Each structure stands twice: as structure tokens, then as C-alpha cells.
Amino acid sequence: MSTTSALPDAPAAKPAAPRTGGPVFYHPTVARLTYRALLGRRRALLLFGLPALLLVICAAVRALAGADDGTANDILQGFALSSMLPLLGVIAGTGAIGPEIDDGAIVYLLAKPIRRSTIISTKLLVAIGVTLVFSAIPTLLAGYLLNANGQNIAVAYGIATAVASVAYSAIFLLLGVFTRHAVVVGLVYALVWETVIGNLVSGAQTLSVQQWALAVGAKAAHGDLVSSAVSLPTGIILLIVVTVAATWYAARRLSTLKPVGDE
């Protein structure tokens, strides 16, 4: 005689429900997918290439002209902060979400029980981290190469680049959610507004992220070589307002996003 008895059938697994409770700003799976997308072959070449070019230029200038504080200030502001950083911001900010929207892969992510705001905040944190690593650290090293941190210029531009990375990442992430032409729009903004108008047109300088960041970096510099068109409180307030507003609107925009095939 058998000693076993029939067991009741196990209840069917229920689909995962959306998370409730307080806000969550980081999701490991979203972060891993975003890192994988950003550090792919083509983007990795650009992310490594621009900082490498900066360091090569700085090494050549130091070898040919010697250490000079004015030259260091000109190169770090004109190339590192005004040109290299916005371009890296475009690559990281738009690349964090734009390709997923373009090829429709975002549909699978949106189908998961993850808050839209968590997706945006996670991708923003990844974009900020990538931009910081490939801009702030090379800028700091470039400053030491140029004049061995004379007048604390290397530290000042390292700080300015770091705080600007946060605002640029939020702005370009928003562009990635807002338009399918985020890279083109981002390049126009970076090269025309931040590189040209933000440096040459005095009235427009108050609306330039680099000037806001320079206001923060200038506090760490000795002497008056590093300067900004805006005051320190104005720079800090504008950096925070733009970063928060861009992040909030990106999350709002993502919550109403329709898959490409549904449009």
C-alpha cells in the first residue's frame, strides 16, 4: 500500500505588481542596461577619445611653452569646459535613453513594474557618473600637466567640470526623451550656444551652464584668472533649478511616452 497522499496544487504565480511606497531613485537592472548601452564600442571611442585628445594637447603645450597659468586657464576653459564637456554630455545624456526610444526597446522596460521616475533618475545617475569620469578627472589631470595646479586652477576647473556634468546630463537626458533628434539638437546646443554664444556674447553668458559652473569653480581658485559672468549664489541656484526641472519633466514626458509603432 502506498504511504504517499495527493498534495493540493500550488497556487499559480501572480504577475509582479508595481512597487508602492516611497520614491526609489536607483534600480540596478536599469543601471546595468544603461551602462552597457553607454559603453558600447562607438560611444566608448568618443568617450575615451576626447579626454585623450585633451591630455595630448596639454602635454604638447607644456613641453613646447612650459608652465603658464594664463595658458592653462585658456585651454581648460576653451577646450575642456566649453567644448569637450558639452560633447561628452551629449554622448552620455542622450545615449542613456535615446537609442532605447528610437528602436522601441524602451517598451520592454516600461512594461516592468518600475516607476517612470525611477527609470529617469537611474539613467541620470549613470549619465552623471560617466560624464564625471570622462570629463572632471581628465580636466584635473590636464590642469596639473599644464601648470602643476598653479593658482589652484586645476582644482577649480575640476570642480567646475564636475558640477556642470550634473546639469548637462539632466539637460541632454531630457532631450533624449523629448525628441528623436536629440543628438543633433544637443550638438547644436553644445557647439553653438555653450561654445560660441556662451563665451562671446556677454548678455547670453548668464544663461550658459559653463558660466554657472565657473562661478562655483572660481571659489576654489587663487587669484582672478578663473572668473564667471554670474555670482556664486546665482550660479548655484540656476544649476539646481535646471537640473531638477529637466529631470522632473523627463520623468513626466516618459510617463506619457508612446511606443514608436503606436504613433
Side-chain angles (χ1 to χ4, degrees):
M1 184 176 67
S2 173
T3 59
T4 59
S5 61
L7 295 175
D9 293 335
K14 295 181 179 179
R19 291 183 177 179
T20 58
V24 179
F25 299 104
Y26 186 81
H27 193 284
T29 302
V30 177
R32 186 172 63 253
L33 293 173
T34 308
Y35 273 119
R36 187 181 302 171
L38 284 180
L39 300 179
R41 184 177 301 174
R42 287 189 302 175
R43 287 191 177 83
L45 287 175
L46 293 171
L47 289 171
F48 281 99
L50 288 170
L53 178 61
L54 170 67
L55 294 175
V56 169
I57 291 174
C58 292
V61 170
R62 176 62 186 267
L64 295 174
D68 180 76
D69 294 345
T71 302
N73 178 71
D74 292 342
I75 292 178
L76 293 181
Q77 181 175 357
F79 185 84
L81 184 62
S82 301
S83 300
M84 181 190 74
L85 174 59
L87 291 176
L88 291 173
V90 171
I91 297 169
T94 62
I97 197 168
E100 290 177 304
I101 295 176
D102 290 342
D103 62 18
I106 193 70
V107 174
Y108 301 102
L109 190 57
L110 296 179
K112 303 293 183 184
I114 306 173
R115 295 174 186 270
R116 305 298 191 262
S117 58
T118 300
I119 295 174
I120 289 297
S121 60
T122 301
K123 288 181 174 294
L124 175 62
L125 290 173
V126 172
I128 290 172
V130 170
T131 310
L132 272 172
V133 167
F134 287 98
S135 64
I137 295 175
T139 298
L140 182 66
L141 295 176
Y144 275 92
L145 266 177
L146 285 167
N147 71 337
N149 197 31
Q151 298 192 41
N152 221 28
I153 287 177
V155 173
Y157 277 99
I159 293 173
T161 306
V163 297
S165 296
V166 178
Y168 280 133
S169 296
I171 291 171
F172 294 125
L173 182 67
L174 172 61
L175 283 179
V177 177
F178 195 79
T179 173
R180 295 179 191 173
H181 307 290
V183 174
V184 176
V185 177
L187 286 175
V188 171
Y189 168 78
L191 297 176
V192 176
W193 185 264
E194 290 292 342
T195 303
V196 179
I197 297 178
N199 275 322
L200 302 178
V201 182
S202 58
Q205 289 179 334
T206 56
L207 298 177
S208 168
V209 171
Q210 65 170 293
Q211 292 297 325
W212 308 341
L214 272 175
V216 179
K219 291 298 294 182
H222 305 154
D224 55 1
L225 269 178
V226 183
S227 61
S228 171
V230 301
S231 65
L232 178 60
T234 300
I236 292 175
I237 291 172
L238 290 174
L239 284 168
I240 293 174
V241 168
V242 166
T243 301
V244 172
T247 306
W248 172 81
Y249 192 67
R252 180 181 173 84
R253 179 79 176 180
L254 186 65
S255 66
T256 60
L257 187 70
K258 293 181 180 179
V260 174
D262 293 346
E263 293 181 347

